Amino acid sequence: MKTSKLKLHLIGGARPNFIKIAPLLKLLDKNKNFETTFVNTGQHYNNKLYDKILDDLGLRLPDINLNARSSSSNAQFSKIMSRYEKYINKNTPDLVIVFGDVNSTLATALTAKKMGIKIAHVEAGLRCYDDCLPEEINRRLTDSISDYYFIPTRNEEKNLRRENIKKNIFFVGNIMVDSLKLILKKNQNFKVNFQKFGLITLHRPENVDYKKNLLQIIEKIEEISKTIALVFPIHPRTKKSLERFKLLKKLNSIKNLKLYESFGYHRFLMYLNKSQLIITDSGGVQEESTFLGIPCFTLRKNTERPITISDGTNCLVNVTNVVNKVKKVKKKKVKIEKWDGQTANRIEIILEKIQKCDFQRYLF
Ligand code: UDP
């Protein structure tokens, strides 16, 4: 049978997307069964979050940037959808591969699906069952219209089945670990300026968008800094809030705390790897710290990554108990099934099968 290249769009828009795309795109670009297009929606346009990350990841430049900058989430959806539709009309893929749970994930999946194009979702099936988190809506809706599901742990299969999704679920492991392993291998001599320290990252709306909540967190940071030095690379969203609420001076006055602009990916991982503990509200960081065995204190009510608690180093905390919890830290060796740096290879093999079986009857 004559085979034809499968035309793929890989969609990125935010920092964690690029980290997940990098290992897969590198493989697919070299595979003669596929024709790849790397689409950047432009969701994260702050250069702290975008510029350096391609470099750190050794990721090539996107083929198209939709420049979908917007102040509100809904305006961003409509911009991404209308611009991506126009692009699809010029360059129509057979399959769109979306990653994670950001607005770009759902907006592009929905656009393509309505135009009759199949969708593959990498990091499918994650659930925290709390619609107050905008990402939860993105995850659930993206899964409801996807055709192929690449899941990081066995748990996600149960979540998908609960929603009556039973076909084309592939347990491939965690693709973020592929990127993480590569960076660690390349940069073993990186020097970190501190001996013993804890790391902090914060950017979730419920922690940083309200003055009262942010102030309470700063007070806890101050208490914790009395027992361990702290390093805080500040996310642009958090920096804006600190300025708006006039809290930057207070944060700056904490003696044992060192503030930085948001770190590049490579630098961040080097710091994380050398830290004694991390306080975070990020999704990806819960997984990275589990992989590295670093105690992680997640300032959230729930997590869509429960394996980081059951089998890893993660623990959910709030402003009332964080100081006490952080006192009991212990690094730990962790091994999670298929978090081994081979996830992109597994996805590539499955895509080859999809190309041979599912798509040939449409193409010829
Ligand atoms: N990260 C980074 N610089 C920082 C903080 C985090 O590069 O200063 C990386 C981190 O290694 C992780 C990713 O950003 O892989 C997580 O992205 P983010 O917290 O923005 O999104 P989430 O994972 O919560 O969706």
Side-chain angles (χ1 to χ4, degrees), residues 14-17 19-20 44 48-49 53 56 100-102 123 135 139 176 179-180 199-204 232-236 260-269 272 278 280-288 300 304-305:
R15 173 167 72 181
N17 293 148
I19 296 167
K20 291 162 202 165
H44 271 177
K48 291 274 164 330
L49 298 185
I53 202 153
D56 280 353
D101 53 21
V102 299
E123 208 185 63
E135 292 90 342
R139 290 177 198 125
M176 277 190 107
S179 284
L180 193 164
L199 196 56
I200 304 172
T201 76
L202 291 173
H203 72 288
R204 303 207 56 78
F232 186 4
I234 304 177
H235 190 283
Y260 293 93
E261 298 270 335
S262 190
F263 284 166
Y265 175 59
H266 155 200
R267 187 168 181 213
F268 180 76
L269 286 185
L272 179 59
I278 176 144
T280 190
D281 57 13
S282 153
V285 172
Q286 295 171 54
E287 298 179 335
E288 289 164 343
R300 281 179 49 184
E304 59 292 328
R305 293 158 161 97

Side-chain angles (χ1 to χ4, degrees), residues 184-198:
L184 285 186
K185 209 165 110 192
K186 265 204 321 211
N187 300 286
Q188 277 157 356
N189 298 324
F190 186 92
K191 287 242 170 343
V192 168
N193 297 332
F194 303 86
Q195 285 280 322
K196 272 194 160 189
F197 66 96

